[in-house]
Amino acid sequence: MTLPKLEIVNLRKLFGDESLVAVDGIDFAVEAGETVALLGPSGCGKSTTLNMIVGLEQPTSGDIRIDGRSVIGIPPGKRNVGLVFQDYAVFTHMTVFENLAFGLVIRGRPKAEIAKAVHEVAELLGMSNSLNLSASELGGSELQRVAIGRTLVTKPAILLLDEPLSNLEASARLAMRRELRRLQSEIGLTIIYVTHDQIEALSLADRIAVMNAGKLQQIERTSVICKKPDHVFVAGFMGSPPMNLLRGEIIGDGTSLGFRRDGLFIGLSSSEASVSDYVGRPIILGLRPESLTLAAAHDATISGKVAVVEPRGPEAVVTVESGAVSLKAVVPTVERPQVGADIGLLAAPSSFVFFSGETGRRLAS
Ligand code: ATP
């Protein structure tokens, strides 16, 4: 069995007088050649995690292993980990060549080796003709390309990217996303990519690690995580729009079972083993917007009034208000209803996802 490229073991980081828990005991492994996106709201501990991997911050406890060996105590320059920040950190008083060469120059590498490495990376990044330009003449996406190139010349075992595209305007961001995908496939880099933009994470990563308040809530393949969130936080964070989450309770009298929230009641099959233990306890029902279909108000799972219709090309997001509950459904644009219409939403029981109202964890189905 080959070793993971990177292993994070029960990693914790406390700041200040140890009252601020920035990273709260996270575990995950990244395989060689894999791209993992760390995704989560501002302040959840993403950058602190990257800074510990590169060696800019010392963990309070836990371990970081690269190719099976702990790197705790090894200085940043000796870990063979490259970090690219969002604000480029390119030296504008230097040429592109000098910027790309910088990491090797400070390592005292021979001139010929530096020139060869710089030319190889410049070619990879499509910048061979820009080597003599001053960095001050470059636009945002070219500066970011130089920043990435400057890290690549040192041939890092792992490349860490901290919000690398967030300073770029939309079209440059799309172009750089394509560029990063090409680099991934051409040089098979192992990448950890920090972002709070889930579209970016979904389009670049093999797996997504969702963090919240210093904890790793879930790490899962990109193609699966939106459909199978393990935690209510992931369910409410992933997807556009995210899953509808209704906090309520399970009621049952031995013969019938249902979910109740204010005036809303949804009957459940008594064979719903996962929820039958939850009678009288708080529960959260998750309904994916894509699995709700429109129906006549009288024979629907939930009925209400259309509050908003947002066309998005071939699909439209329809917000339906039913008493105090507001639900979003994604429907074909041609079927979109009028605002104010009385409408029903049908949900197949097989699409219901339940989370414990106490722990937020998904119940086994
Ligand atoms: P963002 O997306 O805003 O960059 P993040 O998920 O990267 O956020 P971190 O920057 O890792 O989050 O911060 C996690 C927590 O640790 C925050 O509460 C932050 O204020 C705190 N923190 C980060 N660095 C330090 C530091 N050097 N000293 C004290 N507190 C810090």
Side-chain angles (χ1 to χ4, degrees), residues 15 20 22 41-48 57 163:
F15 280 117
L20 198 153
S42 186
C44 71
K46 306 179 295 291
S47 299
T48 304
E57 293 282 3
E163 303 265 8

Side-chain angles (χ1 to χ4, degrees), residues 39-57:
L39 185 66
S42 186
C44 71
K46 306 179 295 291
S47 299
T48 304
T49 302
L50 278 201
N51 289 340
M52 287 192 280
I53 297 171
V54 79
L56 295 175
E57 293 282 3

Side-chain angles (χ1 to χ4, degrees), residues 5-6 53 64-71 79 81 157-158:
K5 197 79 199 160
L6 173 75
I53 297 171
I64 299 167
R65 296 181 197 136
I66 296 177
D67 291 324
R69 295 174 61 178
S70 176
V71 294
R79 290 190 182 189
V81 175
I158 301 169

